[in-house]
Amino acid sequence: MRSLAKTAALSALLGGAATLSACGGLMDNEAMYQEFASTCTTSFTAEGGPAEMAKPFCDCSTAKVREQELGPMDFLDEEKMTAIGEECGQEVADTMLGA
């Protein structure tokens, strides 16, 4: 579960970073957060994550990215992004399993 959450979050983030670089410049943080949110669900399910967990996981991940005011380079920091993915994966699993 944690591995899947970590992989999905990382995929979404790297996809967002690739989109940023394809634009030829850096977008403001709000646009970056919106791009992350819009690609997260697709990436999560594409990596094999259960569809019913995608929205809560992505909502949690997006909220944590915003709370920490992460910038473009932070999205490439595997340690930070893994921590967010693991924390959100655990929160969603606990909620869904009633723990």
Side-chain angles (χ1 to χ4, degrees):
M1 172 62 168
R2 287 184 186 182
S3 165
L4 176 62
K6 176 174 66 174
T7 302
L10 220 43
S11 295
L13 294 172
L14 292 176
T19 300
L20 289 173
S21 63
C23 293
L26 298 176
M27 294 194 258
D28 65 76
N29 282 357
E30 186 56 37
M32 185 178 57
Y33 300 150
Q34 289 174 358
E35 178 67 19
F36 171 74
S38 71
T39 60
C40 181
T41 301
T42 303
S43 296
F44 185 86
T45 55
E47 291 291 326
E52 66 274 6
M53 292 180 74
K55 182 173 178 6
F57 175 82
C58 291
D59 288 349
C60 175
S61 297
T62 301
K64 291 194 183 302
V65 165
R66 286 177 193 261
E67 286 169 12
Q68 295 178 28
E69 298 180 348
L70 298 186
M73 296 310 293
D74 294 313
F75 278 78
L76 300 175
D77 184 328
E78 187 175 348
E79 192 172 303
K80 279 183 187 177
M81 300 315 300
T82 297
I84 289 172
E86 288 179 349
E87 189 175 340
C88 288
Q90 189 62 54
E91 284 180 24
V92 171
D94 288 349
T95 300
M96 295 187 89
L97 297 174

